[in-house]
Amino acid sequence: MSVNLWSVLLVAFLVLDVCLIIRLFIRRDINQDARQLLTFLLCLIFCIQFSSFSEAAGLYRNVRGITNLSRGMILLTGPVLYLYSLSVLMPDFRFRYRHILHFIPYLAALITIWIQDYPFDNHELVLTLDAEMQGLLPLTAKTLTWFMIGFAHFSLYFFLVRRFLLHTIPSSSGYFNLSIEERLNWLNRLTTAFIVIAAVFVIVIIHLFMTGLYTAADRFVYSMALGLVVYVPLFPELLFWWKSAVTSDNEEEGNAAPHTEEQLLTTILYFFEEEQLFMNPGLRVGLLARKAKTTPRVISRIINKRLGKSFTELVSFYRIEEVKKRMADPAYRHYSATGIAMEVGFTSKSAFNEAFKRQSGMTPSEYLKWLEMQ
C-alpha cells in the first residue's frame, strides 16, 4: 500500500464517515426512517470514497475487484438524499414499496456495466488503473458518458429536493418537523453544496477535454466533493448530535446545561401550550430538544422529574385534553371523535381509544354521552 496526498485526504473522509455512521447507530431518539436513510447515504459516500482510496493506495493490485465496489453508486445518492429530505420534513413519511422505483436506474446501470465488462479480466483492470494513476489513460466516449449520466441524475434529484423545499417554505411550521427558518437554511446549504459539486464537475470536464486523458485526480476530487451532499446540507443536525454526545454527561449532572431546569420547563410548557407542538403527528423528543436547544436526555429527565410523566405520556395528555375541548365545542359537533383525534396528532384509532380511556376512565363514546347529559 502506498501513502500519498490523495490517500491521506481520502482516509480523513473515510474516518469522518465511519464516526458519523457509528453516531447515527448509537442515537435512537430520532426519526427511525430518517436515521436509516441518512446512514444509508453515509454508507454510499463511504463506498465511493473507499473505492477512490483503494486506487490512491494501490490496493487494487492486491485485492481483486476492490475498485468495483462503488460502480454506479452515484445513481443512488440522489434518490436517497431525496427520500431522506422527505423523511426529515414530513412527520407522516414512511418508506413505501413505490419508493423502490427510484433505484431502477442504478439496477439498470449494474446490468449494463456487467454486460459491458463480461468476461471480467482482473489483469486488464490493473493495467487500466495503473495508466489512470499515472495520468496516461485516454478518455473514451464510454467513460465520458457514464461520468455525465451520473452528474445529470444527481442534478435531477437535487432539483426535486429543492422544489420540494421551496414548496414547503410558504407553509406554517405546524405540520412540518422543521420551522420555516430551518427549511430556508437547509435549502441554502444544499444549494451551496450543489454549486460546489457542479463547479468541480465543470472543471473536471474542461480538464478531460483539454488533455484527452482521464486521471485519478479528476475522480478523487469529484468523489470528495460529493461528500458535501452529507457534510454541508446536514451539518447543523450532525453538529447537534455531536454536541449532545459531548455534553450529555455534564448536562445530566446539571453542571453544563445551557439553561436552568426552571427555564427549560417553562420552554417545554410553552411549546406544548402556546405553539401546540403536540399536534404534530411526528413529534419526537429529539425535535423538542432541538427547539429547546438542549438534549433529548435532559428534556426527558425534566418532564419525568417535574411533571411526573414520560415524554410520550405528556404528548398523549395534551392531545386528549385538546380532543375533550373540541368535543365540547359546538363548532366540532359534526366531527367524529376519531376525526378530531387525527386532527390533534393521533395516527391510529386504537392508540387514541386506549389513551382516552386510560386518561379519562371512559371511552370517547361514553364521554360524548356524558357531555350530552351536562
Side-chain angles (χ1 to χ4, degrees):
M1 185 178 76
S2 60
V3 178
N4 50 54
L5 176 61
W6 291 118
S7 62
V8 171
L9 288 174
L10 288 163
V11 163
F13 274 85
L14 292 172
V15 170
L16 178 58
D17 288 339
V18 170
C19 289
L20 292 174
I21 290 171
I22 293 174
R23 181 65 184 145
L24 285 173
F25 182 78
I26 294 173
R27 297 293 291 186
R28 299 285 181 173
D29 52 10
I30 58 176
N31 184 303
Q32 183 75 359
D33 289 306
R35 185 174 66 85
Q36 291 175 349
L37 286 165
L38 181 54
T39 302
F40 187 21
L41 185 56
L42 282 164
C43 289
L44 290 176
I45 297 299
F46 177 89
C47 290
I48 291 171
Q49 292 173 342
F50 181 79
S51 180
S52 296
F53 169 75
S54 68
E55 292 185 25
L59 297 180
Y60 63 89
R61 296 190 183 95
N62 303 315
V63 183
R64 179 183 175 90
I66 191 172
T67 59
N68 290 328
L69 175 68
S70 67
R71 298 192 71 177
M73 278 192 176
I74 190 173
L75 298 179
L76 290 176
T77 56
V80 177
L81 176 64
Y82 175 69
L83 294 175
Y84 171 71
S85 301
L86 296 184
S87 70
V88 170
L89 290 168
M90 307 296 291
D92 58 351
F93 174 86
R94 293 293 181 272
F95 188 85
R96 311 293 184 188
Y97 286 116
R98 67 175 182 273
H99 292 142
I100 297 175
L101 296 175
H102 290 283
F103 304 114
I104 289 179
Y106 171 68
L107 297 176
L110 286 185
I111 294 172
T112 304
I113 291 171
W114 184 83
I115 294 174
Q116 287 180 342
D117 292 352
Y118 184 82
F120 179 76
D121 188 337
N122 190 65
H123 178 67
E124 182 180 343
L125 176 63
V126 171
L127 292 177
T128 300
L129 292 177
D130 281 341
E132 181 185 335
M133 290 299 300
Q134 297 167 18
L136 302 175
L137 184 66
L139 178 64
T140 64
K142 183 176 77 171
T143 301
L144 183 61
T145 299
W146 277 117
F147 192 59
M148 297 187 74
I149 287 175
F151 177 74
H153 186 265
F154 175 75
S155 299
L156 170 65
Y157 276 93
F158 161 75
F159 284 108
L160 286 176
V161 174
R162 178 179 171 80
R163 186 183 69 172
F164 179 73
L165 281 166
L166 287 173
H167 178 72
T168 70
I169 297 303
S171 304
S172 165
S173 62
Y175 176 68
F176 298 101
N177 283 340
L178 300 182
S179 66
I180 292 178
E181 182 182 0
E182 289 172 316
R183 281 176 260 157
L184 279 171
N185 289 336
W186 191 357
L187 178 61
N188 291 335
R189 292 192 302 270
L190 184 62
T191 302
T192 300
F194 179 76
I195 290 173
V196 172
I197 294 171
V200 170
F201 175 80
V202 170
I203 291 172
V204 170
I205 287 293
I206 292 174
H207 180 259
L208 292 176
F209 278 108
M210 289 181 62
T211 63
L213 300 172
Y214 184 70
T215 66
D218 294 324
R219 194 147 60 83
F220 295 164
V221 171
Y222 189 61
S223 70
M224 287 187 284
L226 282 174
L228 293 175
V229 173
V230 177
Y231 310 140
V232 173
L234 311 181
F235 176 75
E237 288 80 6
L238 298 173
L239 179 62
F240 176 80
W241 296 333
W242 171 255
K243 287 170 66 177
S244 297
V246 171
T247 62
S248 60
D249 291 338
N250 289 333
E251 288 180 331
E252 193 67 23
E253 297 170 3
N255 296 329
H259 309 290
T260 65
E261 188 174 283
E262 193 65 36
Q263 288 173 325
L264 280 173
L265 178 61
T266 301
T267 299
I268 292 169
L269 294 177
Y270 170 81
F271 283 129
F272 275 91
E273 296 174 0
E274 301 299 326
E275 291 200 0
Q276 295 188 313
L277 201 61
F278 60 86
M279 293 181 68
N280 180 343
L283 179 62
R284 291 174 174 80
V285 66
L287 173 60
L288 179 59
R290 183 165 64 240
K291 285 182 172 291
K293 293 180 171 49
T294 185
T295 66
R297 186 180 301 179
V298 170
I299 290 290
S300 298
R301 177 172 58 82
I302 290 176
I303 291 175
N304 184 264
K305 178 181 177 182
R306 301 296 296 270
L307 302 177
K309 303 178 186 294
S310 68
F311 173 78
T312 302
E313 290 170 340
L314 184 65
V315 173
S316 178
F317 172 81
Y318 275 97
R319 286 175 179 169
I320 294 298
E321 290 303 307
E322 182 65 22
V323 169
K324 289 181 179 179
K325 177 181 174 182
R326 296 190 182 194
M327 289 171 76
D329 188 342
Y332 289 89
R333 198 161 285 169
H334 62 289
Y335 280 72
S336 67
T338 303
I340 294 175
M342 297 300 109
E343 281 204 343
V344 304
F346 283 101
T347 57
S348 75
K349 181 179 179 180
S350 59
F352 162 63
N353 288 333
E354 182 182 345
F356 194 97
K357 186 167 185 179
R358 182 172 58 248
Q359 185 166 319
S360 305
M362 60 182 79
T363 65
S365 58
E366 291 171 342
Y367 185 78
L368 278 172
K369 291 178 181 178
W370 178 82
L371 282 176
E372 292 172 358
M373 294 172 59
Q374 300 304 305

